[in-house]
Amino acid sequence: MREVRIKDTLSGETIALDGTEEIGIYACGPTVYSRIHIGNARPFVVFSLLARFLKAEGYRAKLAINVTDINDKIYTAAAERGISSGELAEEMTAAYFEDTGRLGLGRPDAEPLATGTIGPIVDLIETLVEDGHAYESGGDVYFSVRGFDGYGKLSHRPTEEMEQGEGDDAGSLKRDPLDFALWKTHKEGEDTSWDSPWGPGRPGWHIECSAMAEAELGQPFTIHGGGSDLVFPHHENEIAQSEAARGKPLARIWMHNGMIETDAEKMSKSEGNIFQLHEAIDTYGPEAVVAYLISGHYRQPLAFGDAPLTEAVARIDRLRNFLRDNPAGLEPGPEAAAAAGRFRDALADDFNTPRAMSEAFDLVRSANQSPDDPALAGAGTALAGMLDLVGLGSLAEAGEGGPDPEALDLLEARNAARADRDWGRADEIRDRLAELGWEVRDGAEGARLVPRG
RNA sequence: GGCGCCUUGGCGGAGUGGCUACGCAGCGGCCUGCAAAGCCGUUUACACCGGUUCGACUCCGGUAGGCGCCUCCA
């Protein structure tokens, strides 16, 4: 078990995980008012892979990624489409499961819904009201920010001049502009509501995460994550609620991924469509999307566009080519095993996926240079293991079946033509195979067919 | 205005006080009947100005530029 260290937004320190305790990870998932985009996929990928790596290292890890299915935006989007908000939320939740499922990373250990956590949410709010950290006002309940010492410690900003609220919030009901809603009374036009001690209504934006995280992982748990745009106010408010209610920290480490950066001009023209996760997967394939998302360090912003995705396709092609020639199976020699060790070392060091991938490519080049070096034997085995850790294990899979009889016949015919030195005929057949989806690769041991990318 | 981040070779993107990151693309070669795959070479980068140091791309200060958040956002 390696010592895994993660940079903590709250303290600014890099903190080592405790291998003796369960590593509870809570990552803020999407609000389901539309299909998710690449930006939503980044935390899903980062935290899924982190949990996978921790488990591979022998940690007991539990990953929870929630679905926020109660929100102003859902009401708005549903109204625009003329369907009920529940219908829209269900549809988009299903789409989220489908789209992220296609990434091939499996599911988180828990995926709670806000609508499935109303009881704990109401209980948590009640506790806050009883303890004087929150107050009822006209059917709404607000958290009293100034009553919580330490507000602003995560986002490192002074409480002066802060104001917050969801859209056209009934700000006049607040005692202080800093306060934020825990519970919102039912309003005309909203087609869902739940009973509460303060009358029918629905949870405010931040409280559902506090409740779901505690329900799934207890409090405190180890890592709370999400996009860096959530630092303020979302995570700041989660800290305030949970710590005010329980008198102990919510999470030990706050881990935030950088934004996917889009060029507004390009987005409106050529690249707007592929920003949707499902469109990106359709266009570039799931492995390329994952490879793209891990191409930069998780904390840094990552440029989005056709070019970086196309590059990701080229990268995974190189890996796949290598694995075709060097299938997993052989026991890794010392150099191959060392590369795998360095790969894991990089991941253990604040989950440095680009550095890890550089080790993978280093191994590929070394093994291509010296295919007979016993120290590099089993490089394919080592590489497959490395890639599996970052969700690219499918690159090592042979694919369904081999060439069909028609393709094999054509290959035979081409071999015959080449034996006759009839290059025109041989190239004709190669073109024909290309039309059928096969690429011919001539090697020392004869010609081979590989599927065309 | 407040808080924070960033500026690396054609592009993307790591990293370190003194040693080739890595990938993609281009060009030149090797291999090949020609390709593909692979290999080699290649223009040897660290915004600018000072400072610390035997030595800085890597530390400190400043300048310029870019970005994120600061009522919604992964």
Side-chain angles (χ1 to χ4, degrees), chain A residues 81-268:
Chain A
R81 277 184 48 186
I83 60 177
S84 76
S85 64
E87 211 176 325
L88 178 75
E90 268 181 46
E91 178 188 322
M92 291 306 167
T93 301
Y96 160 70
F97 287 142
E98 183 189 329
D99 294 346
T100 50
R102 289 177 65 197
L103 291 169
L105 306 180
R107 301 309 311 174
D109 299 299
E111 301 185 276
L113 305 181
T115 51
T117 319
I118 299 294
I121 289 172
V122 169
D123 289 347
L124 185 56
I125 298 173
E126 276 195 288
T127 300
L128 288 165
V129 171
E130 282 163 18
D131 294 347
H133 284 109
Y135 56 91
E136 189 270 339
S137 177
D140 292 346
V141 180
Y142 293 94
F143 184 87
S144 183
V145 166
R146 289 190 199 275
F148 176 71
D149 211 25
Y151 191 82
K153 66 183 177 182
L154 179 69
S155 52
H156 307 109
R157 65 186 75 208
T159 49
E160 313 311 317
E161 296 175 33
M162 284 200 290
E163 230 175 286
Q164 56 186 314
E166 234 183 299
D168 56 348
D169 224 13
S172 58
L173 295 174
K174 295 180 185 179
R175 291 180 189 163
D176 189 309
L178 265 65
D179 296 348
F180 57 90
L182 299 171
W183 188 262
K184 298 178 165 189
T185 192
H186 179 258
K187 283 203 273 290
E188 185 108 19
E190 296 178 353
D191 59 3
T192 46
S193 71
W194 291 264
D195 288 330
S196 82
W198 318 282
R202 61 183 175 101
W205 174 34
H206 317 287
I207 193 71
E208 86 284 5
C209 277
S210 282
M212 285 187 273
E214 184 181 17
E216 294 294 345
L217 305 171
Q219 183 175 332
F221 55 93
T222 308
I223 298 174
H224 192 128
S228 61
D229 55 338
L230 296 181
V231 171
F232 185 90
H234 186 55
H235 288 164
E236 195 72 71
N237 290 353
E238 281 187 55
I239 289 176
Q241 296 159 348
S242 292
E243 300 193 356
R246 307 301 183 212
K248 53 190 175 187
L250 176 57
R252 278 185 62 215
I253 299 171
W254 290 81
M255 181 175 173
H256 292 101
N257 63 271
M259 299 291 97
I260 301 290
E261 291 188 338
T262 56
D263 183 320
E265 204 170 316
K266 283 184 182 172
M267 284 292 286
S268 64

Side-chain angles (χ1 to χ4, degrees), chain A residues 38 274 280 284-285 288-289 292-293 303-314:
Chain A
I38 289 270
I274 57 168
Y284 304 99
V289 172
Y292 159 70
L293 286 172
F304 175 80
D306 174 65
L309 268 309
T310 301
E311 240 191 65
V313 171

